[in-house]
Structures are given as C-alpha cells and as structure tokens.
Amino acid sequence: MGTTVFERRIPQPSVIEHALGGTSHSTFWIDDLPEELKPSRPKLAGTAVADLVVVGGGYTGLWTALLAKERNPDAHVVLVEAKRVGWAASGRNGGFCEASLTHGHENGMARWPKEMATLDRLGLENLDAIEAAEAKYGMDFHFERTGQLAPAVEEHQVGWLKEWADEATARGEEGVVYLDEAAMQASVASPTYLAGVWEQRTNGMLHPARLAAELARVAEERGVEIFEHSPVRRLETPGSTGAVSVVTDGGRVDAKHAVLATNVFPSLLKRNRLMTVPVYDYVLMTEPLSAEQLASVGWNDRQGIGDMANQFHYYRLSKDNRILFGGYDAIYNYGRKVRESYENRPESWQRLASHFFTTFPQLEGLKFSHKWAGAIDTSTQFTAFFGTARDHRVAYAAGFTGLGVGSTRFAAETMLDLLERRENERTTLEMVRKRPLPFPPEPAAAMGINATRWSLDRADHNRGKRNLLLKTLDALGLGFDS
C-alpha cells in the first residue's frame, strides 16, 4: 500500500502543539451570533392547538414552519425544539450550501439516472431561492455564491478531474472549470495541489448558525410559535379523529398535521429507527488571517474546498477570514447513540491540525481558536429520504448525510406537498417515493460500518481502487459516508 500526501508531508509536532494550545472547545458559529439573534424562548407548558406542529428546530424544521406560513398565512404553526434553535448540526456545520439534492452527481446517476436532469434543475432552483432569501426576508447569513473547488492531491486524482470536467462539458453543464497545476496554484496556493475542478454555480458559502437564527426570527415575525427546551417524548394519533399530538414533559400540541425534523436523533416513528446512523465529524477554526497570511494563500475567489479522497477534508473562509478545516475522520460509535461525550476526540483534532499545515505550510504559527464536533444523520443512499405516516397526518425527512444545508429547504417543500397530497415534480420523484434500505441492527451495523471505513481508507492508499466489499456495496446501492 502507498502513503497519502498527508502521511508524506507531516509537520513538526511543535507546530501542531502551538496551534492547538488554548483552543476553545466550542462552536465558533454559535459563539459568533449577536445577542439579538439569541432570544430566550419559553418551554412548552400546557396544551396548544395548531394546524401544523413541527418537531425540531434545525434547518429542516425552520424552513418547514416558514414555508407553511407562506403557503397559508392564517395557519397556526407551532415548532417544538428539545434544546435551542440551531444548536445541533444546523449550527455547527461547515456552511457549504450545495445545489445537489443527491449528494453529488455521481451518486444521483447511480441511483436515479432517469431523473437527474430534473433533480439537477430543482437543486439549482432551490439554491437560487436560498440565495434570494436574504433580500426577500431581510436576512443576513453571510451568503456568498462562490462555488466549490475540488483539488487533486494525488496523481491518480488528476485523471478523475479531467474526466469530470469533460463529462460536464458534454452534457452542457456550465461553470465547471478544469484547472491545471499552474492555474490551481494561482487560485489557491498549496504544495499539495496538482490540479482542480471549480464548480462555479452549484455551491454557496454561508454562516450556519446565522441561517438558523434568521429563519427562526423571520418565522416568528410571521406568527410561528417556537418553544425551546421541550424534548418530545412521544407522538400520538388517537383513533380516527384526524389529529396528531406531540407530547413533552410539560405539555402537548394537538394539531391537524405534524412534521418530524429530528434527523440524527432517534425517530418518533418505529419504522425509521434503523434508517440512519449518527456519524461524528470534527472541525477546527483558525484565528483570523492577517493580510500577509491571506496573500500567501491567495484564495481570492473564496470558494469552498473539498478534496477527492474517500476520507475527505472540507474547508472554507469565514467572513472575517478565518479558515474552517474539517472532515477526514467520520466516527461511528456502537449502538447508534448521540452523546455529548463523543464530541471530545483530541486525536481527530490533532490529525486535522497536521493535515491543515500539510495543506498550508506557509501558515505555520497560526493558531486555532475553536474546535468542535457534531453528529451527521447518514442514510444508506447518502441523501434524504421522505415519507408520511399515521394515516397521512405525519410527514418526515431524514438522512441528509452531510449535505443538508441546501437540501433541507427542498425537504421542507416536499413534506408540505406530501401533507397536502400534491402530485407534482417533487412528490413524483423516485427519490421521494421510495425508501432506501435500512442499516442493520447491532452488532451487524458496527461490524459493517467499520469494515467499510477500513476499506475506504485502503482505497485512499491504493490509488482509489475499491476492494470487493466496496464493489459489492456499490452494486447493492448501499454505503457509508459523511
């Protein structure tokens, strides 16, 4: 087996020790919120009556509540959140807002080739709507339509990039630009970069926690009631009354319909308990770069960056020119548990710091201000699944697998369509109509996921060649990703 560039170019331990000294174990995006976007909201107490109750105060739930009020301004919409709005994945992700609804074109073509033209168009329309939301609603979530760079850091990846760009040109896709080594270095200066592809239209960068906070603010301005610190314990659909109730420790909401937007957390529906697994992702954020440090890197077009490995890194610039650097480790813990203790993994942050200075050795001396982690809701098809339950009173979406920032808005529209029994482009998609295969129960889940992670690591060390396990999973349409 070969070695990867991150194993061939290891920075000195003292560089890593200095960079991580004094780093705060907290989420930069949430710490960066202004006080006016962190209002105190009440717990649910007693019984509330609504037309729609939404469970979950992340992007999926917030978009659903806001868009429901747009469709019917007179509807009474209640949202119930277990902790604080945007505290989980919606407040701590990398802020990559992609047009893809299918976790990339390749995954979509492997699963829904006949629908990809429609899915690509719907994805771009969805991204356009998110970009337009700042002006439409008077929001500010630092949206930048900069696109995304995919750099090759190993020789065999250069051919992949050329093929990618050629195929995009052949199907008439605009804004997919191949960069040779010189052009790539002129765009972003890293000694690890051998070539790149810049997708110019299909990705925007944003401030994750500000998006969640602004969605909540605008929803409340339109009459949505939001209750925090109110974990839902059970879902009730009594008899043939046509109602649905969500029950917390301190109260309940009785409604005509419910939307479940709990994503990585255990589903209130038994049928969905095995549909996702929580995968932990780890992130570092630097201090702001000086003008000289930024000039040494270039990065004038401010694209998001994600490399080509199975165990990939993603990184981007914040508005104040910090660099967020995350990914690589994707950790599954036995038993499908979501636990705060899993967010503290020093070896993952040390590895990320090493990989950061391998990528940008000219930034040695820079320190990391924040380190954090979070759980991703992974599905076997790498993208969201949808459905209804309880005699069409309940709609759900989950399984976004790390690319949910943009597609949560599409999911909200789709769930509202399903509750309204609309037949349209969204609801007739095979991706919406059919459920993926579930993950197996333990211990098979842990054994299979860990074997897959080992195989992905071996592929990265063997010029991308996939072993029998990975080829079998590909043939079955199964997988594990973050």
Side-chain angles (χ1 to χ4, degrees):
M1 292 288 179
T3 57
T4 69
V5 66
F6 299 105
E7 293 163 327
R8 296 192 296 270
R9 296 171 175 260
I10 300 175
Q12 292 295 317
S14 59
V15 172
I16 298 168
E17 183 179 355
H18 171 78
L20 289 172
T23 303
S24 172
H25 187 184
S26 61
T27 306
F28 167 78
W29 304 120
I30 295 174
D31 290 350
D32 191 54
L33 280 178
E35 287 303 313
E36 63 268 21
L37 288 179
K38 296 188 288 186
S40 178
R41 296 182 175 95
K43 293 182 180 180
L44 178 66
T47 300
V49 178
D51 295 296
L52 174 68
V53 58
V54 178
V55 181
Y59 298 147
T60 307
L62 292 165
W63 277 119
T64 301
L66 175 57
L67 295 173
K69 288 294 287 185
E70 285 204 337
R71 292 185 181 203
N72 182 2
D74 294 328
H76 184 199
V77 179
V78 172
L79 185 148
V80 183
E81 163 56 40
K83 292 189 177 182
R84 295 290 303 271
V85 160
W87 76 275
S90 295
R92 60 180 75 190
N93 62 81
F96 287 66
C97 188
E98 299 199 19
S100 178
L101 303 174
T102 60
H103 206 277
H105 186 81
E106 185 177 356
N107 186 53
M109 285 298 294
R111 301 179 188 281
W112 308 288
K114 295 180 180 178
E115 295 182 344
M116 276 308 294
T118 299
L119 286 164
D120 284 344
R121 175 175 53 79
L122 290 173
L124 277 170
E125 290 172 357
N126 182 67
L127 181 59
D128 290 343
I130 294 171
E131 181 177 19
E134 282 193 312
K136 178 179 179 179
Y137 300 116
M139 294 178 175
D140 178 13
F141 46 87
H142 300 179
F143 190 91
E144 300 177 89
R145 189 76 169 259
T146 55
Q148 183 167 334
L149 276 176
V153 298
E154 305 289 350
E155 289 287 350
H156 66 272
Q157 297 171 354
V158 175
W160 294 352
L161 291 176
K162 290 179 178 176
E163 184 178 349
W164 176 2
D166 289 345
E167 289 178 353
T169 299
R171 62 176 178 264
E173 185 176 345
E174 298 177 358
V176 180
V177 179
Y178 175 76
L179 305 175
D180 62 17
E181 186 170 3
M184 189 65 190
Q185 292 292 335
S187 180
V188 182
S190 170
T192 67
Y193 291 170
L194 305 176
V197 161
W198 181 9
E199 287 188 294
Q200 297 176 324
R201 300 176 60 220
T202 56
N203 192 72
M205 308 308 302
L206 54 79
H207 188 305
R210 287 189 74 105
L211 174 59
E214 289 281 54
L215 284 170
R217 176 183 65 80
V218 172
E220 287 179 313
E221 287 174 354
R222 284 153 178 77
V224 174
E225 283 192 279
I226 299 178
F227 296 97
E228 295 182 325
H229 306 293
S230 303
V232 174
R233 303 303 184 188
R234 64 184 184 276
L235 182 73
E236 296 178 350
T237 45
S240 58
T241 63
V244 59
S245 300
V246 298
V247 182
T248 71
D249 292 334
R252 63 187 292 130
V253 182
D254 298 327
K256 296 177 182 176
H257 291 108
V259 161
L260 304 183
T262 54
N263 298 319
V264 75
F265 297 96
S267 177
L268 293 166
L269 295 172
K270 186 176 181 180
R271 70 175 68 178
N272 288 342
R273 297 281 169 83
L274 297 179
M275 296 303 293
T276 64
V277 294
V279 177
Y280 277 81
D281 185 46
Y282 298 84
V283 185
L284 292 171
M285 180 70 96
T286 73
E287 297 174 333
L289 274 64
S290 68
E292 293 77 16
Q293 288 171 324
L294 191 59
S296 74
V297 177
W299 213 342
N300 295 322
D301 295 310
R302 301 180 58 83
Q303 309 98 320
I305 301 178
D307 65 39
M308 300 288 290
N310 291 304
Q311 294 177 284
F312 63 93
H313 308 84
Y314 57 87
Y315 37 117
R316 50 80 56 93
L317 289 167
S318 66
K319 186 175 182 179
D320 60 349
N321 291 328
R322 300 168 185 263
I323 298 177
L324 177 146
F325 196 83
Y328 195 79
D329 283 346
I331 305 300
Y332 173 72
N333 297 282
Y334 187 95
R336 284 186 165 87
K337 302 297 185 183
V338 179
R339 290 178 175 164
E340 187 175 351
S341 60
Y342 295 153
E343 297 174 19
N344 187 16
R345 198 168 192 270
E347 61 265 40
S348 288
W349 291 314
Q350 290 166 2
R351 187 176 295 114
L352 281 173
S354 176
H355 293 179
F356 177 88
F357 290 112
T358 296
T359 305
F360 298 122
Q362 66 269 45
L363 296 180
E364 287 188 7
L366 185 66
K367 300 193 72 171
F368 297 105
S369 62
H370 292 73
K371 59 186 178 184
W372 70 92
I376 294 168
D377 59 327
T378 297
S379 71
T380 59
Q381 68 181 18
F382 304 154
T383 192
F385 62 91
F386 306 84
T388 61
R390 307 289 178 91
D391 195 28
H392 225 81
R393 303 177 210 178
V394 178
Y396 57 82
F400 294 93
T401 319
L403 288 185
V405 174
S407 58
T408 50
R409 185 188 179 282
F410 173 84
E413 295 273 30
T414 301
M415 288 188 289
L416 293 172
D417 288 344
L418 291 171
L419 289 177
E420 295 169 9
R421 300 179 185 264
R422 294 191 186 189
E423 186 170 312
N424 56 24
E425 277 189 316
R426 285 187 288 262
T427 59
T428 55
L429 289 167
E430 184 180 352
M431 186 183 77
V432 172
R433 292 185 294 107
K434 294 186 178 180
R435 289 162 58 90
L437 292 171
F439 288 95
E442 297 291 14
M447 293 171 60
I449 289 170
N450 288 329
T452 302
R453 289 189 68 244
W454 180 87
S455 297
L456 292 169
D457 179 67
R458 293 303 88 193
D460 285 338
H461 285 79
N462 192 26
R463 298 177 58 83
K465 295 179 181 178
R466 299 172 78 80
N467 65 14
L468 181 60
L469 172 61
L470 295 179
K471 289 178 180 178
T472 301
L473 292 174
D474 292 342
L476 295 173
L478 297 171
F480 169 78
D481 207 344
S482 64

